[in-house]
Each structure stands twice: as C-alpha cells, then as structure tokens.
C-alpha cells in the first residue's frame, strides 16, 4: 500500500491524523487567549525559544497551528506562520527580515495593495526597484550588493503576467538572495514555488485556499531552501536558542507576528481549514470554467483583449503550461471602446460585482476605477492595465449559466 497520498486525501485527513481531542475529525476551535503551566520553567522555556508551546495567542494558538501545518503540507515546506490577512503576511515578512540599508527587487506587476505597502516601505527608507519580472534579465540587472530579497507573484493580478519563476530562482540561488513568491493566484494545488527554489511562499488564505469568501487569512511558508544561518539580519538573541533552519521563521513570528499583531483568529483558522479540504475540487471546476469563458471572449467582437494564460495569444502561454497544473481562475478582459464597462457590469445578473477573488461565486470588478485607482493612469499603463479592463474571478457555477449571463450583457 502506497504511503504517499494525493493532494485532497492528504488535506482532508490532516487534522484527524494529528489526533485532535476526543477523536474529532477537525482540530477544535481554541478560543483561549492565554495558557497556564504547572511548571513555570515550561513557560520560561517557551519564551526563550527552548521548547514549543503556547503562552499568549497573539503569536500562537492550537487551532491556528493546525492550519499552519496544513498549509505547510500543501506547499511541501518545513513550517508556516498564519496571519490575519495575506497583506499582514507580506508586511510582517518584510518588516521582520529587511533593514533600512537593504535593497529589494520586486515585480512591477504586483497587486495594488502589495505595491502600496512596498511604496510605504520606500517612504520609510528601504530601497526597492520594480522591474518587469517576466524576464530574469530585468531582475539580474536590478540586483545590487545589498539586495536581500526578490519578491514576485506567480500570476499577476489583474493583467496575468507570469514571472520568469524558474530562472529567477536560479539567479537568487546563485547570488544567495532570499526569494519570496506570492502563490495566491495559483494556490498550492496548481503550483508549488519550492520547485523553482523559492525561499518563502506567501498565500492569501482568504482566496482559493479558504475559497468561500467567509474568512480572512494569510500565511508565509518556509521551504527550507534558504541559508538562514548566514543571513545577516537575524536577531543575535535567536541564534543561541533556535536551530539554524528555523531562524528566519522565528524572526517572522516574533518580530512580524507578535510585535506587529496581525494575528489570525481561531474561528477564522477553523473556517479556512475546512474550506481548504475542497481546494482541488473547486479549482478544477473554476479553471475549467475560466478556460471556456476565455475562449468565448477571445472570439467575441466586443472584447478587445483577453488576459488569461490559457489563451494562445498570452505572452507566457507556453510558460504557464510548463509551470502550472492548470491556468487558474483569474482573468481580465478589455472591452471595445464603444462599451461602457460600468454599464456592462450592471447588466450582469448572476456574476457578483465584488472586489474579492478566489470565491466559489464568479466575481467581477472594474479595475482602473477601483482596486488600482490610487496608482493613477500613468502607473496603470506601466502595469498593462487599460482603463476599460474588467477583472473576473471565475467560480464554480454551471458553465452554461455563466455564458448566458455574459452573452446577455454583451447584447446577444
């Protein structure tokens, strides 16, 4: 009998195999904020990083730990830390590991809020260069002697550019640079960044992993590939008590989670954990629907352009096929100039006008007027975002119903 189980089987039985209380199939929700210890030495050892355990729920909770272990399994990593949101995970990682004298190379196609927080870091004195990450040559040209991190996304939101993930990983390995990959748009089911030598993996658990639009969460996962023992920004006090492979994550948990306070609640952790059990089933359906819709839009006279890796006209179509199991559930379309994108959206009755993505329902939003409005027209143009772009997060509805809704809105 094989000991290696499939993706869904592994996640479905992860809690049960951890032997939770009373034979429960899910890790119960632990709402306690603080934890008592019979021997005070145990409490001291937990504070001094000499043993694992719980002292105060801002930096650790049994229900959250169970979710962290599940995310680690999905990403084939060695450990994970959960946060209240994906943005909290990104912010805490940079805050904990980067100093004001350091330099970061980041994709110029980052999601709007990610770009915004990186701009805040620039305002605080951190040097960050944004480059077209679809080519490793652009990343290589931007690397400096003090470059500590390269940060990219798998598929950019909303214009779906795909980073040159493998070659950037090789470059970071060559230079000894921390390589951080945001895997939110693909999720661990479609792609594992450890396969392109990522050091850390970011996931917004709110999106595909949770998948039902009912809980916020984020996570950072350590792949085990980065040499934390020789990373110069590690707090000296951690080095005496923490194993070398755990130094980076300990610093993120202490300096990023504990100090900044972006704690995931146990109730949200439980909701996300249950949602994760159907990740593969939901994404198979969403990806199938997305590909069918992309082909429909690609042949429609009122749609000027389709932004989706699954269409052959996409600049990284072949690369997407090599990297990812499927092409994802996110796409954008640019409407013909004769169509008002807001009026078009108002004609949709089944599709929900919403800012989220990765839900079971299909969601649509006008990009330039909402989530990328603060960037301004010039920067939107740099990112390949036309003013009439509509982003679609394709859900698991019956395909014929989705097609009928779009056909009606397009006047068919």
């Amino acid at each position: 009998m094989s000991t290696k189980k499939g993706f869904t089987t592994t996640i479905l039985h992860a809690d049960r195999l951890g032997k939770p209380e009373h034979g429960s199939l899910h890790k119960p929700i632990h709402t306690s904020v603080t934890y008592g210890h019979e021997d005070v030495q145990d409490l001291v050892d937990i504070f001094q990083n000499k043993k694992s355990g719980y002292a105060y729920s801002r930096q650790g909770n049994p229900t959250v730990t169970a979710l962290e272990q599940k995310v680690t399994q999905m990403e084939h990593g060695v450990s994970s830390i959960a946060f209240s949101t994906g943005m909290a995970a990104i912010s805490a990682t940079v805050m904990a590991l980067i100093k004001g004298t350091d330099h970061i190379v980041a994709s110029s196609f980052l999601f709007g809020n990610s770009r915004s927080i990186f701009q805040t870091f620039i305002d605080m004195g951190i040097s960050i260069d944004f480059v077209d990450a679809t080519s490793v040559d652009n990343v290589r040209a931007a690397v400096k002697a003090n470059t500590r991190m390269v940060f990219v996304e798998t598929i950019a939101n909303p214009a779906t550019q795909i980073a040159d993930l493998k070659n950037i990983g090789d470059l970071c390995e060559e230079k000894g640079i921390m390589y951080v990959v945001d895997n939110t748009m693909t999720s661990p089911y479609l792609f594992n960044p450890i396969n392109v030598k990522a050091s850390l993996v970011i996931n917004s658990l709110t999106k595909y992993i949770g998948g039902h639009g009912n809980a916020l969460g984020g996570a950072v996962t350590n792949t085990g590939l980065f040499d934390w023992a020789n990373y110069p920004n590690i707090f000296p006090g951690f080095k005496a008590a923490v194993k070398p492979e755990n130094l980076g994550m300990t610093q993120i948990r202490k300096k990023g989670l504990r100090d900044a306070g972006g704690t995931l609640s146990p109730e949200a952790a439980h909701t996300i954990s249950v949602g994760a059990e159907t990740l593969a089933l939901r994404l198979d359906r969403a990806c199938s629907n997305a590909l069918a819709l992309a082909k429909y839009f690609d042949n429609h006279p009122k749609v000027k352009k389709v932004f989706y890796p699954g269409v052959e006209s996409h600049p990284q179509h072949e690369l997407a096929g090599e990297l990812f199991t499927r092409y994802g559930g996110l796409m954008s379309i640019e409407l013909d100039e004769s169509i008002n994108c807001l009026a078009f959206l108002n004609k949709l009755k089944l599709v929900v006008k919403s800012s989220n993505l990765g839900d079971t329902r299909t969601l649509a939003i006008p990009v330039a007027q909402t989530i990328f409005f603060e960037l301004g027209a010039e920067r939107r143009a740099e990112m390949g975002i036309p003013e009439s772009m509509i982003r679609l997060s394709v859900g698991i509805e019956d395909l014929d119903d989705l097609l009928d809704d779009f056909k009606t809105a397009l006047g068919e």
Side-chain angles (χ1 to χ4, degrees):
M1 182 177 178
S2 174
T3 57
K4 185 176 181 180
K5 306 300 182 186
F7 184 92
T8 297
T9 302
T10 299
I11 302 309
L12 193 63
H13 293 274
D15 280 3
R16 180 181 66 85
L17 294 177
K19 300 187 184 304
E21 302 89 316
H22 313 298
S24 173
L25 299 185
H26 294 108
K27 184 68 175 180
I29 300 174
H30 290 263
T31 58
S32 182
V33 170
T34 190
Y35 302 86
H37 298 271
E38 293 297 323
D39 187 340
V40 72
Q41 187 63 49
D42 291 336
L43 182 62
V44 170
D45 289 344
I46 290 169
F47 267 84
Q48 294 182 6
N49 302 303
K50 294 178 180 177
K51 66 180 297 183
S52 61
Y54 303 99
Y56 189 65
S57 276
R58 185 167 4 105
Q59 62 180 318
N61 170 283
T63 311
V64 176
T65 297
L67 175 61
E68 291 171 343
Q69 292 170 345
K70 190 171 290 189
V71 173
T72 300
Q73 285 181 301
M74 288 192 282
E75 287 291 6
H76 303 292
V78 294
S79 62
S80 295
I81 302 172
F83 292 85
S84 56
T85 66
M87 287 307 306
I90 293 172
S91 301
T93 298
V94 176
M95 287 171 55
L97 299 176
I98 300 298
K99 294 184 177 181
T101 55
D102 294 335
H103 174 248
I104 298 173
V105 179
S107 169
S108 58
F109 308 123
L110 289 184
F111 168 60
N113 292 146
S114 299
R115 178 79 179 228
S116 179
I117 190 61
F118 272 65
Q119 183 59 53
T120 299
F121 290 137
I122 291 173
D123 295 341
M124 295 169 65
I126 296 174
S127 175
I128 302 177
D129 283 322
F130 297 97
V131 303
D132 180 347
T134 60
S135 172
V136 68
D137 294 336
N138 299 323
V139 177
R140 186 183 296 275
V143 168
K144 302 177 182 179
N146 63 332
T147 301
R148 299 291 183 210
M149 177 186 291
V150 172
F151 188 102
V152 301
E153 298 164 336
T154 52
I155 301 177
N157 168 16
T160 70
Q161 299 95 335
I162 297 172
D164 191 359
L165 294 163
K166 183 181 183 304
N167 290 323
I168 294 174
D170 290 341
L171 171 66
C172 289
E173 181 185 49
E174 171 194 335
K175 300 288 187 180
I177 298 171
M178 186 194 324
Y179 184 27
V180 182
V181 178
D182 189 325
N183 197 28
T184 298
M185 290 301 100
T186 31
S187 87
Y189 177 57
L190 301 185
F191 179 64
N192 289 128
I194 191 174
N195 294 329
V196 293
K197 303 176 182 177
S199 310
L200 299 173
V201 181
I202 302 288
N203 278 288
S204 172
L205 304 176
T206 313
K207 309 304 191 296
Y208 291 106
I209 292 177
H212 293 78
N214 56 0
L216 292 167
V220 56
T221 299
N222 178 23
T223 64
L225 299 181
F226 189 69
D227 181 11
W228 295 108
N230 291 311
Y231 186 64
N233 292 354
I234 297 297
F235 177 63
F238 294 151
K239 292 184 177 180
V242 178
K243 294 180 180 179
E245 60 268 25
N246 296 332
L247 285 170
M249 293 296 274
T250 297
Q251 186 145 314
I252 294 173
R253 187 176 291 279
K254 299 290 187 180
K255 302 294 187 181
L257 177 61
R258 180 196 65 189
D259 294 356
T263 305
L264 180 66
S265 74
E267 294 86 354
H270 175 78
T271 299
I272 292 167
S273 185
V274 174
E277 294 176 352
T278 58
L279 171 59
L281 285 71
R282 289 183 282 104
L283 259 180
D284 278 341
R285 178 66 169 256
C287 291
S288 178
N289 281 348
L291 183 59
L293 286 174
K295 291 178 178 179
Y296 163 73
F297 290 131
D298 203 33
N299 292 304
H300 201 288
K302 293 183 179 180
V303 177
K304 189 174 180 179
K305 186 175 181 180
V306 177
F307 301 81
Y308 184 67
V311 296
E312 293 184 4
S313 58
H314 192 284
Q316 291 91 43
H317 172 68
E318 291 187 7
L319 178 62
E322 295 170 1
L323 289 170
F324 311 137
T325 305
R326 304 189 73 162
Y327 297 109
L330 180 84
M331 77 169 70
S332 295
I333 57 174
E334 180 183 3
L335 296 172
D336 184 79
E337 290 87 348
S338 63
I339 302 177
N340 181 291
C341 67
L342 301 185
F344 166 79
L345 285 168
N346 282 336
K347 293 178 182 178
L348 294 169
K349 303 304 178 186
L350 178 65
V351 175
V352 183
K353 279 75 77 175
S354 172
S355 62
N356 191 26
L357 57 88
D359 201 313
T360 49
R361 303 155 191 84
T362 298
L363 314 175
I365 191 168
V367 176
Q369 297 84 356
T370 57
I371 51 177
F372 282 84
F373 177 73
E374 291 182 10
L375 291 183
E378 182 178 349
R379 188 157 292 173
R380 286 196 296 271
E382 291 175 3
M383 298 179 69
I385 300 173
E387 296 302 296
S388 64
M389 174 183 278
I390 293 172
R391 188 190 73 185
L392 302 174
S393 173
V394 181
I396 63 172
E397 297 94 342
D398 293 295
L399 177 60
D400 287 344
D401 295 327
L402 288 173
L403 286 169
D404 284 345
D405 203 31
F406 284 112
K407 286 178 181 179
T408 300
L410 288 168
E412 291 187 36

